[in-house]
């Protein structure tokens, strides 16, 4: 069980995320096909593989590793989703760089998560309830922050975040899409869980499982 994440965790965590997304590939593809072009599962696979092959520990610092990972994901999985992931990861990298962080404890992870949300909202403008990935990310980071305030361990905080992200993803089902291809479907998007929010829920669960190992 881990109490912080360091540069040494970069590659094994990326591998854990890739495995989690691979297991959910068919679900993600089906959800994306229902209100989009159905390529989100492939985008995630290609993007995570590029992250795994990115410099990692060889980057020299946690900030540089994250920065290169964001660029690698966007390059391999070029799409609106890839650009959003890159934005979120690069904002998190800036937290590590500005703080001179060699490792992330729970407080640093909360700060990185809040920076990622701010970056996503500045880039795309989506708010909670708009049926996008932030519907899972905002409650996940909120759960982390609440856990931090309560003095929880990193493992317990991440477990709470995983539950919050899953609930957030499920909350998108009755909503009508307002952004991207989902918005084109208008009322027909109602009744389909948002694929991007589902990806976030899978990723947060994978992080929680990794931290708890």
């Amino acid at each position: 069980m881990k109490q912080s994440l360091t540069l040494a965790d970069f590659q094994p965590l990326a591998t854990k995320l890739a495995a989690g997304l691979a297991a959910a590939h068919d679900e993600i593809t089906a959800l994306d096909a229902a209100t989009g072009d159905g390529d989100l599962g492939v985008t995630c696979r290609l993007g995570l593989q590029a992250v795994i092959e990115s410099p990692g520990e060889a980057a020299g610092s946690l900030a540089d590793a994250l920065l290169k990972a964001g660029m690698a994901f966007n390059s391999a999985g070029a799409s609106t989703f890839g650009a959003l992931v890159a934005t979120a990861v690069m904002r998190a990298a800036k937290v590590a760089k500005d703080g001179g962080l060699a490792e992330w404890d729970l407080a640093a992870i909360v700060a990185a998560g809040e920076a990622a949300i701010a970056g996503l909202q500045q880039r795309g403008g989506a708010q909670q309830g708009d049926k996008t990935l932030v519907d899972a990310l905002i409650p996940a980071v909120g759960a982390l922050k609440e856990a931090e305030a309560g003095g929880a361990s990193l493992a317990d905080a991440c477990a709470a975040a995983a539950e919050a992200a899953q609930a957030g993803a499920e909350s998108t089902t009755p909503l009508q899409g307002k952004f991207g291809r989902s918005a084109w479907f208008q009322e027909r998007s109602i009744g389909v869980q948002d694929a991007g929010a589902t990806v976030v829920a899978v990723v947060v669960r994978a992080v929680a499982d990794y931290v708890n190992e």
Side-chain angles (χ1 to χ4, degrees):
M1 189 177 299
K2 298 181 181 298
Q3 293 303 318
S4 65
L5 296 173
T6 70
L7 186 57
D9 293 302
F10 183 87
Q11 296 290 2
L13 179 55
T15 302
K16 187 79 171 180
L17 300 185
L21 287 169
H25 177 274
D26 290 348
E27 177 190 9
I28 293 166
T29 298
L31 291 173
D32 190 42
T35 58
D37 51 18
D39 66 351
L40 186 55
V42 174
T43 296
C44 291
R45 177 173 56 79
L46 295 176
L48 260 300
Q49 185 59 41
V51 171
I52 291 170
E53 295 170 356
S54 69
E57 288 187 69
S61 73
L62 186 56
D64 284 345
L66 289 169
L67 185 62
K68 294 180 185 302
M71 292 188 293
F73 189 102
N74 192 33
S75 179
S79 63
T80 300
F81 187 82
L84 291 173
V85 169
T87 296
V89 173
M90 289 179 185
R91 288 299 184 96
K94 189 173 187 305
V95 170
K97 183 177 181 179
D98 291 350
L101 301 179
E103 62 181 295
W104 273 355
D105 58 11
L106 179 52
I109 292 172
V110 169
E114 290 179 331
I117 291 170
L120 289 171
Q121 293 187 320
Q122 287 173 7
R123 183 177 185 109
Q127 302 298 316
Q128 194 164 10
D130 285 343
K131 200 178 181 85
T132 72
L133 61 88
V134 302
D135 284 313
L137 187 57
I138 288 176
V141 175
L144 287 173
K145 192 169 186 175
E146 183 176 342
E148 180 201 6
S153 67
L154 181 60
D156 286 346
C158 288
E163 292 181 7
Q166 180 62 36
E170 292 173 359
S171 76
T172 64
T173 300
L175 303 176
Q176 180 174 327
K178 298 180 181 178
F179 284 84
R181 291 180 182 274
S182 177
W184 299 0
F185 286 74
Q186 299 183 353
E187 291 87 353
R188 286 180 291 165
S189 67
I190 296 173
V192 180
Q193 183 170 308
D194 182 67
T198 303
V199 169
V200 172
V202 171
V203 166
V204 177
R205 171 55 65 189
V207 172
D209 290 346
Y210 178 80
V211 168
N212 195 43
E213 288 176 349

